[in-house]
Amino acid sequence: MSASGNTEITVCPRGPLLVRGEIELRDANGRPIEPERGTVALCRCGASARKPFCDGSHKLTGFERPRGDAA
């Protein structure tokens, strides 16, 4: 998917970043990662086995949002 149009990112308290809309997602080496659906949940806790996508591991780790996060 190419990045164009409206994209919305929601920071979930003690959870992932929810990204809605068209995005271009790449790994650390610049290789494209195909979004699985129109809304993707990106891991913030670092514990997901499906990185960069959230797998719900934050619920088990007791993840607290980093200081300075707005939500």
Short mmCIF file of all heavy atoms in Angstrom, two decimals:
data_model
loop_
_atom_site.label_atom_id
_atom_site.label_comp_id
_atom_site.label_asym_id
_atom_site.label_seq_id
_atom_site.Cartn_x
_atom_site.Cartn_y
_atom_site.Cartn_z
N MET A 1 0.84 -1.17 0.00
CA MET A 1 0.00 0.00 0.00
C MET A 1 0.89 1.24 0.00
O MET A 1 1.83 1.32 0.76
CB MET A 1 -0.84 0.00 1.27
CG MET A 1 -2.29 0.06 1.05
SD MET A 1 -3.21 0.20 2.60
CE MET A 1 -3.41 -1.49 3.04
N SER A 2 0.60 2.20 -0.80
CA SER A 2 1.39 3.43 -0.76
C SER A 2 0.76 4.42 0.19
O SER A 2 -0.45 4.41 0.41
CB SER A 2 1.49 4.03 -2.16
OG SER A 2 0.21 4.45 -2.59
N ALA A 3 1.60 5.27 0.77
CA ALA A 3 1.12 6.24 1.76
C ALA A 3 0.46 7.41 1.04
O ALA A 3 1.13 8.19 0.39
CB ALA A 3 2.26 6.70 2.63
N SER A 4 -0.84 7.52 1.11
CA SER A 4 -1.57 8.65 0.55
C SER A 4 -2.94 8.68 1.21
O SER A 4 -3.39 7.71 1.80
CB SER A 4 -1.70 8.51 -0.96
OG SER A 4 -2.47 7.39 -1.29
N GLY A 5 -3.60 9.82 1.11
CA GLY A 5 -4.92 9.93 1.72
C GLY A 5 -4.83 10.18 3.21
O GLY A 5 -3.80 10.59 3.73
N ASN A 6 -5.90 9.90 3.91
CA ASN A 6 -5.95 10.14 5.35
C ASN A 6 -5.45 8.93 6.13
O ASN A 6 -5.86 7.81 5.88
CB ASN A 6 -7.38 10.45 5.78
CG ASN A 6 -7.86 11.77 5.22
OD1 ASN A 6 -7.07 12.68 5.01
ND2 ASN A 6 -9.15 11.88 4.98
N THR A 7 -4.58 9.20 7.08
CA THR A 7 -4.06 8.18 7.98
C THR A 7 -4.23 8.69 9.40
O THR A 7 -3.95 9.85 9.67
CB THR A 7 -2.58 7.88 7.69
OG1 THR A 7 -2.45 7.46 6.34
CG2 THR A 7 -2.05 6.79 8.60
N GLU A 8 -4.69 7.83 10.29
CA GLU A 8 -4.91 8.20 11.69
C GLU A 8 -4.16 7.23 12.58
O GLU A 8 -4.22 6.03 12.39
CB GLU A 8 -6.41 8.14 11.99
CG GLU A 8 -6.77 8.47 13.41
CD GLU A 8 -8.27 8.34 13.62
OE1 GLU A 8 -9.04 8.96 12.88
OE2 GLU A 8 -8.66 7.59 14.53
N ILE A 9 -3.42 7.77 13.57
CA ILE A 9 -2.70 6.95 14.53
C ILE A 9 -3.25 7.24 15.92
O ILE A 9 -3.30 8.40 16.34
CB ILE A 9 -1.19 7.22 14.50
CG1 ILE A 9 -0.64 6.93 13.10
CG2 ILE A 9 -0.46 6.38 15.56
CD1 ILE A 9 0.80 7.34 12.92
N THR A 10 -3.67 6.19 16.63
CA THR A 10 -4.20 6.32 17.98
C THR A 10 -3.28 5.58 18.94
O THR A 10 -2.97 4.41 18.73
CB THR A 10 -5.62 5.70 18.07
OG1 THR A 10 -6.46 6.33 17.10
CG2 THR A 10 -6.20 5.87 19.46
N VAL A 11 -2.82 6.28 19.98
CA VAL A 11 -2.00 5.67 21.02
C VAL A 11 -2.94 5.07 22.06
O VAL A 11 -3.69 5.79 22.71
CB VAL A 11 -1.07 6.72 21.68
CG1 VAL A 11 -0.22 6.07 22.76
CG2 VAL A 11 -0.20 7.40 20.63
N CYS A 12 -2.91 3.76 22.20
CA CYS A 12 -3.76 3.09 23.18
C CYS A 12 -3.04 3.04 24.52
O CYS A 12 -1.90 2.58 24.59
CB CYS A 12 -4.09 1.67 22.73
SG CYS A 12 -5.05 1.60 21.22
N PRO A 13 -3.68 3.51 25.60
CA PRO A 13 -3.04 3.44 26.92
C PRO A 13 -2.66 1.99 27.24
O PRO A 13 -3.48 1.09 27.06
CB PRO A 13 -4.12 3.95 27.87
CG PRO A 13 -5.05 4.74 27.02
CD PRO A 13 -5.02 4.07 25.66
N ARG A 14 -1.41 1.80 27.65
CA ARG A 14 -0.92 0.45 27.98
C ARG A 14 -1.16 -0.55 26.86
O ARG A 14 -1.42 -1.72 27.10
CB ARG A 14 -1.52 -0.04 29.29
CG ARG A 14 -1.14 0.82 30.47
CD ARG A 14 -1.61 0.25 31.80
NE ARG A 14 -2.99 -0.14 31.83
CZ ARG A 14 -4.00 0.64 32.21
NH1 ARG A 14 -3.78 1.87 32.59
NH2 ARG A 14 -5.23 0.18 32.22
N GLY A 15 -1.07 -0.07 25.61
CA GLY A 15 -1.31 -0.95 24.47
C GLY A 15 -0.61 -0.46 23.21
O GLY A 15 0.31 0.36 23.28
N PRO A 16 -1.05 -0.94 22.07
CA PRO A 16 -0.37 -0.66 20.81
C PRO A 16 -0.71 0.71 20.22
O PRO A 16 -1.54 1.44 20.75
CB PRO A 16 -0.92 -1.76 19.89
CG PRO A 16 -2.31 -1.97 20.40
CD PRO A 16 -2.19 -1.83 21.90
N LEU A 17 -0.06 1.00 19.11
CA LEU A 17 -0.44 2.11 18.26
C LEU A 17 -1.40 1.54 17.23
O LEU A 17 -1.07 0.57 16.54
CB LEU A 17 0.77 2.69 17.52
CG LEU A 17 1.86 3.31 18.37
CD1 LEU A 17 3.05 3.68 17.48
CD2 LEU A 17 1.35 4.54 19.09
N LEU A 18 -2.60 2.10 17.14
CA LEU A 18 -3.56 1.68 16.12
C LEU A 18 -3.42 2.62 14.94
O LEU A 18 -3.54 3.84 15.09
CB LEU A 18 -4.98 1.72 16.64
CG LEU A 18 -5.33 0.73 17.74
CD1 LEU A 18 -6.80 0.89 18.13
CD2 LEU A 18 -5.04 -0.69 17.32
N VAL A 19 -3.13 2.06 13.76
CA VAL A 19 -2.94 2.86 12.56
C VAL A 19 -4.05 2.52 11.59
O VAL A 19 -4.21 1.36 11.17
CB VAL A 19 -1.56 2.57 11.92
CG1 VAL A 19 -1.34 3.47 10.72
CG2 VAL A 19 -0.44 2.77 12.95
N ARG A 20 -4.83 3.55 11.24
CA ARG A 20 -5.95 3.38 10.31
C ARG A 20 -5.66 4.18 9.06
O ARG A 20 -5.22 5.32 9.14
CB ARG A 20 -7.24 3.91 10.94
CG ARG A 20 -7.72 3.10 12.10
CD ARG A 20 -8.98 3.73 12.72
NE ARG A 20 -9.42 2.98 13.87
CZ ARG A 20 -8.99 3.20 15.11
NH1 ARG A 20 -8.11 4.15 15.36
NH2 ARG A 20 -9.43 2.46 16.10
N GLY A 21 -5.92 3.57 7.92
CA GLY A 21 -5.70 4.26 6.65
C GLY A 21 -4.54 3.65 5.89
O GLY A 21 -3.97 2.63 6.29
N GLU A 22 -4.18 4.28 4.79
CA GLU A 22 -3.12 3.77 3.95
C GLU A 22 -1.76 4.14 4.52
O GLU A 22 -1.52 5.29 4.89
CB GLU A 22 -3.27 4.30 2.54
CG GLU A 22 -4.52 3.76 1.86
CD GLU A 22 -4.54 4.10 0.39
OE1 GLU A 22 -3.46 4.19 -0.22
OE2 GLU A 22 -5.64 4.30 -0.11
N ILE A 23 -0.89 3.14 4.63
CA ILE A 23 0.45 3.36 5.15
C ILE A 23 1.46 2.58 4.32
O ILE A 23 1.11 1.63 3.63
CB ILE A 23 0.60 2.93 6.63
CG1 ILE A 23 0.32 1.44 6.81
CG2 ILE A 23 -0.26 3.78 7.53
CD1 ILE A 23 0.68 0.91 8.18
N GLU A 24 2.71 3.01 4.41
CA GLU A 24 3.82 2.25 3.86
C GLU A 24 4.68 1.86 5.04
O GLU A 24 5.25 2.71 5.71
CB GLU A 24 4.60 3.11 2.88
CG GLU A 24 5.66 2.35 2.13
CD GLU A 24 6.30 3.20 1.06
OE1 GLU A 24 5.57 3.65 0.16
OE2 GLU A 24 7.51 3.42 1.15
N LEU A 25 4.75 0.58 5.33
CA LEU A 25 5.44 0.06 6.50
C LEU A 25 6.70 -0.66 6.04
O LEU A 25 6.65 -1.47 5.12
CB LEU A 25 4.50 -0.89 7.24
CG LEU A 25 4.89 -1.40 8.61
CD1 LEU A 25 5.10 -0.25 9.59
CD2 LEU A 25 3.81 -2.34 9.13
N ARG A 26 7.85 -0.34 6.68
CA ARG A 26 9.13 -0.95 6.31
C ARG A 26 9.86 -1.43 7.55
O ARG A 26 9.72 -0.86 8.62
CB ARG A 26 10.00 0.04 5.56
CG ARG A 26 9.38 0.48 4.25
CD ARG A 26 10.32 1.29 3.42
NE ARG A 26 9.72 1.62 2.16
CZ ARG A 26 9.79 0.85 1.06
NH1 ARG A 26 10.44 -0.28 1.11
NH2 ARG A 26 9.21 1.21 -0.05
N ASP A 27 10.68 -2.47 7.38
CA ASP A 27 11.49 -2.97 8.49
C ASP A 27 12.76 -2.12 8.62
O ASP A 27 12.96 -1.16 7.86
CB ASP A 27 11.80 -4.46 8.35
CG ASP A 27 12.73 -4.81 7.20
OD1 ASP A 27 13.38 -3.90 6.62
OD2 ASP A 27 12.85 -6.01 6.89
N ALA A 28 13.62 -2.47 9.56
CA ALA A 28 14.83 -1.69 9.82
C ALA A 28 15.79 -1.66 8.63
O ALA A 28 16.61 -0.75 8.52
CB ALA A 28 15.55 -2.26 11.05
N ASN A 29 15.66 -2.61 7.72
CA ASN A 29 16.51 -2.65 6.52
C ASN A 29 15.86 -2.02 5.31
O ASN A 29 16.39 -2.09 4.21
CB ASN A 29 16.90 -4.10 6.21
CG ASN A 29 17.75 -4.69 7.31
OD1 ASN A 29 18.70 -4.06 7.77
ND2 ASN A 29 17.41 -5.89 7.76
N GLY A 30 14.67 -1.42 5.51
CA GLY A 30 13.99 -0.75 4.42
C GLY A 30 13.12 -1.64 3.56
O GLY A 30 12.54 -1.19 2.58
N ARG A 31 13.01 -2.92 3.92
CA ARG A 31 12.16 -3.84 3.16
C ARG A 31 10.70 -3.61 3.53
O ARG A 31 10.37 -3.45 4.70
CB ARG A 31 12.55 -5.28 3.44
CG ARG A 31 13.92 -5.66 2.91
CD ARG A 31 14.21 -7.12 3.18
NE ARG A 31 14.24 -7.37 4.61
CZ ARG A 31 15.33 -7.67 5.32
NH1 ARG A 31 16.49 -7.79 4.72
NH2 ARG A 31 15.27 -7.88 6.60
N PRO A 32 9.81 -3.63 2.53
CA PRO A 32 8.39 -3.42 2.82
C PRO A 32 7.80 -4.54 3.67
O PRO A 32 8.16 -5.70 3.54
CB PRO A 32 7.73 -3.40 1.44
CG PRO A 32 8.79 -3.61 0.44
CD PRO A 32 10.10 -3.83 1.13
N ILE A 33 6.90 -4.15 4.56
CA ILE A 33 6.11 -5.09 5.35
C ILE A 33 4.66 -4.84 4.95
O ILE A 33 4.17 -3.72 5.08
CB ILE A 33 6.27 -4.85 6.87
CG1 ILE A 33 7.72 -5.05 7.28
CG2 ILE A 33 5.34 -5.77 7.66
CD1 ILE A 33 8.00 -4.65 8.72
N GLU A 34 4.01 -5.85 4.46
CA GLU A 34 2.63 -5.69 4.00
C GLU A 34 1.68 -5.63 5.20
O GLU A 34 1.66 -6.57 6.01
CB GLU A 34 2.25 -6.86 3.09
CG GLU A 34 0.97 -6.62 2.31
CD GLU A 34 1.05 -5.43 1.37
OE1 GLU A 34 2.10 -5.19 0.77
OE2 GLU A 34 0.02 -4.74 1.25
N PRO A 35 0.92 -4.54 5.33
CA PRO A 35 -0.08 -4.49 6.41
C PRO A 35 -1.07 -5.63 6.23
O PRO A 35 -1.42 -6.00 5.11
CB PRO A 35 -0.76 -3.14 6.22
CG PRO A 35 0.19 -2.34 5.40
CD PRO A 35 0.93 -3.33 4.53
N GLU A 36 -1.51 -6.20 7.34
CA GLU A 36 -2.41 -7.35 7.28
C GLU A 36 -3.85 -6.97 6.99
O GLU A 36 -4.63 -7.79 6.56
CB GLU A 36 -2.32 -8.13 8.59
CG GLU A 36 -0.92 -8.66 8.83
CD GLU A 36 -0.76 -9.27 10.20
OE1 GLU A 36 -1.57 -8.99 11.10
OE2 GLU A 36 0.20 -10.05 10.36
N ARG A 37 -4.20 -5.72 7.29
CA ARG A 37 -5.57 -5.25 7.08
C ARG A 37 -5.56 -3.73 7.04
O ARG A 37 -4.52 -3.11 7.17
CB ARG A 37 -6.49 -5.78 8.17
CG ARG A 37 -5.96 -5.61 9.58
CD ARG A 37 -6.86 -6.24 10.62
NE ARG A 37 -6.88 -7.67 10.54
CZ ARG A 37 -6.35 -8.50 11.41
NH1 ARG A 37 -5.76 -8.04 12.47
NH2 ARG A 37 -6.43 -9.78 11.26
N GLY A 38 -6.73 -3.12 6.92
CA GLY A 38 -6.84 -1.67 6.84
C GLY A 38 -6.46 -0.95 8.11
O GLY A 38 -5.98 0.17 8.08
N THR A 39 -6.69 -1.59 9.25
CA THR A 39 -6.26 -1.05 10.55
C THR A 39 -5.26 -2.03 11.12
O THR A 39 -5.53 -3.22 11.22
CB THR A 39 -7.45 -0.90 11.52
OG1 THR A 39 -8.38 0.03 10.97
CG2 THR A 39 -6.99 -0.39 12.88
N VAL A 40 -4.06 -1.53 11.47
CA VAL A 40 -3.04 -2.40 12.06
C VAL A 40 -2.71 -1.92 13.47
O VAL A 40 -2.79 -0.73 13.77
CB VAL A 40 -1.76 -2.48 11.21
CG1 VAL A 40 -2.03 -3.15 9.88
CG2 VAL A 40 -1.13 -1.13 11.01
N ALA A 41 -2.35 -2.86 14.33
CA ALA A 41 -1.93 -2.55 15.69
C ALA A 41 -0.42 -2.80 15.76
O ALA A 41 0.04 -3.93 15.57
CB ALA A 41 -2.66 -3.44 16.69
N LEU A 42 0.34 -1.74 16.02
CA LEU A 42 1.80 -1.85 16.09
C LEU A 42 2.23 -1.94 17.54
O LEU A 42 1.81 -1.14 18.38
CB LEU A 42 2.45 -0.64 15.41
CG LEU A 42 2.14 -0.47 13.93
CD1 LEU A 42 2.79 0.80 13.40
CD2 LEU A 42 2.59 -1.69 13.14
N CYS A 43 3.09 -2.89 17.84
CA CYS A 43 3.57 -3.16 19.20
C CYS A 43 4.38 -1.98 19.74
O CYS A 43 5.21 -1.41 19.04
CB CYS A 43 4.44 -4.42 19.18
SG CYS A 43 5.21 -4.81 20.77
N ARG A 44 4.13 -1.61 21.01
CA ARG A 44 4.94 -0.62 21.71
C ARG A 44 5.68 -1.23 22.88
O ARG A 44 6.64 -0.64 23.37
CB ARG A 44 4.05 0.51 22.27
CG ARG A 44 3.49 1.42 21.25
CD ARG A 44 2.98 2.71 21.86
NE ARG A 44 2.04 2.52 22.95
CZ ARG A 44 1.90 3.37 23.97
NH1 ARG A 44 2.62 4.45 24.06
NH2 ARG A 44 1.02 3.13 24.90
N CYS A 45 5.27 -2.41 23.34
CA CYS A 45 5.87 -2.98 24.55
C CYS A 45 7.15 -3.76 24.27
O CYS A 45 7.95 -3.98 25.17
CB CYS A 45 4.88 -3.86 25.29
SG CYS A 45 4.59 -5.48 24.54
N GLY A 46 7.34 -4.20 23.03
CA GLY A 46 8.53 -4.95 22.67
C GLY A 46 8.43 -6.45 22.90
O GLY A 46 9.36 -7.19 22.60
N ALA A 47 7.31 -6.93 23.43
CA ALA A 47 7.19 -8.35 23.78
C ALA A 47 6.46 -9.19 22.72
O ALA A 47 6.42 -10.40 22.84
CB ALA A 47 6.47 -8.50 25.12
N SER A 48 5.92 -8.56 21.70
CA SER A 48 5.15 -9.29 20.70
C SER A 48 6.02 -10.29 19.94
O SER A 48 7.14 -10.00 19.55
CB SER A 48 4.52 -8.31 19.69
OG SER A 48 3.86 -9.03 18.67
N ALA A 49 5.47 -11.47 19.68
CA ALA A 49 6.13 -12.47 18.86
C ALA A 49 5.89 -12.19 17.38
O ALA A 49 6.47 -12.85 16.53
CB ALA A 49 5.63 -13.86 19.23
N ARG A 50 5.04 -11.21 17.08
CA ARG A 50 4.68 -10.88 15.70
C ARG A 50 5.15 -9.49 15.30
O ARG A 50 4.54 -8.84 14.46
CB ARG A 50 3.16 -10.97 15.54
CG ARG A 50 2.62 -12.35 15.83
CD ARG A 50 1.11 -12.44 15.64
NE ARG A 50 0.73 -11.98 14.32
CZ ARG A 50 -0.09 -10.94 14.10
NH1 ARG A 50 -0.61 -10.25 15.08
NH2 ARG A 50 -0.40 -10.59 12.88
N LYS A 51 6.21 -8.98 15.92
CA LYS A 51 6.69 -7.63 15.64
C LYS A 51 6.79 -7.39 14.14
O LYS A 51 7.22 -8.29 13.43
CB LYS A 51 8.05 -7.40 16.28
CG LYS A 51 8.02 -7.36 17.77
CD LYS A 51 9.42 -7.19 18.31
CE LYS A 51 9.42 -7.45 19.79
NZ LYS A 51 10.48 -8.29 20.22
N PRO A 52 6.39 -6.26 13.67
CA PRO A 52 6.04 -5.05 14.40
C PRO A 52 4.59 -5.01 14.86
O PRO A 52 4.16 -4.03 15.45
CB PRO A 52 6.29 -3.94 13.37
CG PRO A 52 5.89 -4.56 12.07
CD PRO A 52 6.35 -6.00 12.20
N PHE A 53 3.85 -6.08 14.59
CA PHE A 53 2.43 -6.10 14.94
C PHE A 53 2.22 -6.55 16.39
O PHE A 53 2.98 -7.34 16.93
CB PHE A 53 1.66 -7.01 13.99
CG PHE A 53 1.82 -6.61 12.55
CD1 PHE A 53 2.60 -7.37 11.69
CD2 PHE A 53 1.23 -5.46 12.06
CE1 PHE A 53 2.77 -6.99 10.36
CE2 PHE A 53 1.39 -5.07 10.74
CZ PHE A 53 2.17 -5.85 9.89
N CYS A 54 1.18 -6.04 17.00
CA CYS A 54 0.82 -6.39 18.37
C CYS A 54 0.16 -7.77 18.40
O CYS A 54 -0.66 -8.08 17.55
CB CYS A 54 -0.15 -5.34 18.92
SG CYS A 54 -0.78 -5.70 20.57
N ASP A 55 0.53 -8.58 19.40
CA ASP A 55 -0.14 -9.87 19.58
C ASP A 55 -0.82 -9.97 20.95
O ASP A 55 -1.23 -11.04 21.37
CB ASP A 55 0.84 -11.03 19.40
CG ASP A 55 1.90 -11.12 20.49
OD1 ASP A 55 1.91 -10.27 21.41
OD2 ASP A 55 2.73 -12.04 20.41
N GLY A 56 -0.92 -8.84 21.66
CA GLY A 56 -1.58 -8.82 22.96
C GLY A 56 -0.64 -9.10 24.12
O GLY A 56 -1.08 -9.15 25.27
N SER A 57 0.65 -9.28 23.87
CA SER A 57 1.62 -9.59 24.94
C SER A 57 1.68 -8.51 26.02
O SER A 57 2.01 -8.81 27.16
CB SER A 57 3.02 -9.79 24.36
OG SER A 57 3.07 -10.95 23.57
N HIS A 58 1.34 -7.27 25.66
CA HIS A 58 1.38 -6.18 26.64
C HIS A 58 0.46 -6.46 27.83
O HIS A 58 0.72 -6.00 28.94
CB HIS A 58 1.01 -4.84 25.99
CG HIS A 58 -0.35 -4.83 25.38
ND1 HIS A 58 -0.59 -5.30 24.09
CD2 HIS A 58 -1.54 -4.44 25.87
CE1 HIS A 58 -1.87 -5.18 23.82
NE2 HIS A 58 -2.48 -4.66 24.88
N LYS A 59 -0.56 -7.25 27.61
CA LYS A 59 -1.49 -7.60 28.69
C LYS A 59 -0.82 -8.51 29.73
O LYS A 59 -1.17 -8.50 30.89
CB LYS A 59 -2.73 -8.28 28.13
CG LYS A 59 -3.56 -7.37 27.24
CD LYS A 59 -4.68 -8.12 26.60
CE LYS A 59 -5.40 -7.25 25.58
NZ LYS A 59 -6.38 -8.01 24.83
N LEU A 60 0.16 -9.30 29.28
CA LEU A 60 0.86 -10.22 30.17
C LEU A 60 2.08 -9.59 30.84
O LEU A 60 2.48 -10.02 31.91
CB LEU A 60 1.31 -11.46 29.38
CG LEU A 60 0.20 -12.24 28.68
CD1 LEU A 60 0.80 -13.34 27.82
CD2 LEU A 60 -0.78 -12.80 29.68
N THR A 61 2.66 -8.59 30.19
CA THR A 61 3.90 -7.99 30.70
C THR A 61 3.65 -6.85 31.68
O THR A 61 4.58 -6.38 32.32
CB THR A 61 4.76 -7.45 29.55
OG1 THR A 61 4.06 -6.37 28.91
CG2 THR A 61 5.10 -8.53 28.55
N GLY A 62 2.40 -6.38 31.77
CA GLY A 62 2.11 -5.24 32.63
C GLY A 62 2.67 -3.95 32.05
O GLY A 62 3.01 -3.03 32.78
N PHE A 63 2.76 -3.87 30.72
CA PHE A 63 3.31 -2.71 30.03
C PHE A 63 2.64 -1.42 30.48
O PHE A 63 1.42 -1.33 30.55
CB PHE A 63 3.12 -2.88 28.52
CG PHE A 63 3.52 -1.69 27.70
CD1 PHE A 63 4.85 -1.33 27.57
CD2 PHE A 63 2.58 -0.94 27.04
CE1 PHE A 63 5.23 -0.25 26.80
CE2 PHE A 63 2.94 0.14 26.26
CZ PHE A 63 4.27 0.49 26.14
N GLU A 64 3.44 -0.45 30.83
CA GLU A 64 2.97 0.90 31.12
C GLU A 64 3.49 1.81 30.03
O GLU A 64 4.61 1.62 29.55
CB GLU A 64 3.48 1.38 32.47
CG GLU A 64 2.88 0.64 33.65
CD GLU A 64 1.40 0.95 33.86
OE1 GLU A 64 0.95 2.08 33.55
OE2 GLU A 64 0.69 0.04 34.32
N ARG A 65 2.73 2.78 29.64
CA ARG A 65 3.18 3.67 28.59
C ARG A 65 4.45 4.39 29.02
O ARG A 65 4.62 4.73 30.20
CB ARG A 65 2.09 4.66 28.21
CG ARG A 65 1.81 5.69 29.29
CD ARG A 65 0.77 6.68 28.80
NE ARG A 65 0.69 7.78 29.70
CZ ARG A 65 -0.34 8.04 30.47
NH1 ARG A 65 -1.39 7.28 30.44
NH2 ARG A 65 -0.33 9.08 31.26
N PRO A 66 5.34 4.62 28.06
CA PRO A 66 6.56 5.36 28.37
C PRO A 66 6.23 6.78 28.82
O PRO A 66 5.23 7.35 28.42
CB PRO A 66 7.32 5.39 27.05
CG PRO A 66 6.76 4.25 26.27
CD PRO A 66 5.33 4.12 26.72
N ARG A 67 7.04 7.33 29.69
CA ARG A 67 6.83 8.71 30.15
C ARG A 67 6.82 9.65 28.98
O ARG A 67 7.58 9.49 28.04
CB ARG A 67 7.95 9.12 31.09
CG ARG A 67 7.86 8.42 32.40
CD ARG A 67 8.67 9.20 33.37
NE ARG A 67 7.76 9.41 34.47
CZ ARG A 67 8.14 9.54 35.71
NH1 ARG A 67 9.39 9.53 35.99
NH2 ARG A 67 7.26 9.70 36.66
N GLY A 68 5.92 10.62 29.02
CA GLY A 68 5.81 11.60 27.95
C GLY A 68 4.77 11.25 26.92
O GLY A 68 4.42 12.08 26.11
N ASP A 69 4.27 10.00 26.91
CA ASP A 69 3.20 9.64 25.97
C ASP A 69 1.95 10.42 26.33
O ASP A 69 1.61 10.57 27.50
CB ASP A 69 2.88 8.14 26.04
CG ASP A 69 3.78 7.32 25.16
OD1 ASP A 69 4.73 7.87 24.60
OD2 ASP A 69 3.53 6.11 25.04
N ALA A 70 1.25 10.88 25.33
CA ALA A 70 0.04 11.67 25.56
C ALA A 70 -1.12 10.82 26.03
O ALA A 70 -2.04 11.32 26.66
CB ALA A 70 -0.34 12.39 24.26
N ALA A 71 -1.13 9.55 25.70
CA ALA A 71 -2.28 8.72 26.09
C ALA A 71 -1.84 7.51 26.86
O ALA A 71 -0.77 7.04 26.78
CB ALA A 71 -3.06 8.29 24.85
#
